[in-house]
Amino acid sequence: MTLEEKLKWAGTYFLLVGVTLNILNNPDLQQYVYPWNLAVNLTGCSLLFFSALLQGDRPYLLLNGVLGVGYSLGILNAFYPLSDMIDVLIALWTHMAHADIHFMELTG
């Protein structure tokens, strides 16, 4: 069995376990499942991404690359909620805009 096939089988296994965890992600089990379901899915799509990279399979590169970014954002959101980050970015943007206005007033 080649490295590509081993990666493909391992990635498939992880994705099947991840989908099962997604199905179990209900209010009663969420404390045990989340965010592990995202980590398992990220592992699976990462393995499939590297398999596709070795095989030059562009559609699977795109699919698993996008899924990897999505699962990564989901994991990030589990520990640092995106709504909080958006509030921080808005505050930073507002502060920068006010600083720019004051700079323009000073420089004429």
Side-chain angles (χ1 to χ4, degrees):
M1 186 180 285
T2 65
L3 176 61
E4 294 91 348
E5 291 172 331
K6 289 177 184 176
L7 289 172
K8 205 181 278 188
W9 276 110
T12 300
Y13 169 77
F14 274 98
L15 281 180
L16 289 172
V17 172
V19 167
T20 303
L21 290 173
N22 285 344
I23 293 167
L24 296 175
N25 192 15
N26 62 44
D28 296 332
L29 298 174
Q30 188 172 24
Q31 63 183 347
Y32 306 110
V33 173
Y34 183 79
W36 295 108
N37 59 328
L38 301 175
V40 171
N41 280 309
L42 177 61
T43 301
C45 73
S46 296
L47 291 169
L48 289 173
F49 178 85
F50 288 115
S51 173
L53 189 63
L54 292 172
Q55 293 178 333
D57 190 341
R58 295 170 112 187
Y60 268 62
L61 279 171
L62 176 63
L63 173 67
N64 290 295
V66 170
L67 287 176
V69 169
Y71 287 127
S72 297
L73 287 174
I75 292 169
L76 182 65
N77 186 45
F79 298 102
Y80 305 101
L82 295 176
S83 59
D84 293 347
M85 286 193 281
I86 290 172
D87 292 340
V88 169
L89 290 174
I90 290 172
L92 181 62
W93 181 262
T94 304
H95 180 72
M96 288 173 49
H98 289 296
D100 189 42
I101 290 170
H102 292 302
F103 179 75
M104 289 184 345
E105 289 173 353
L106 292 173
T107 59

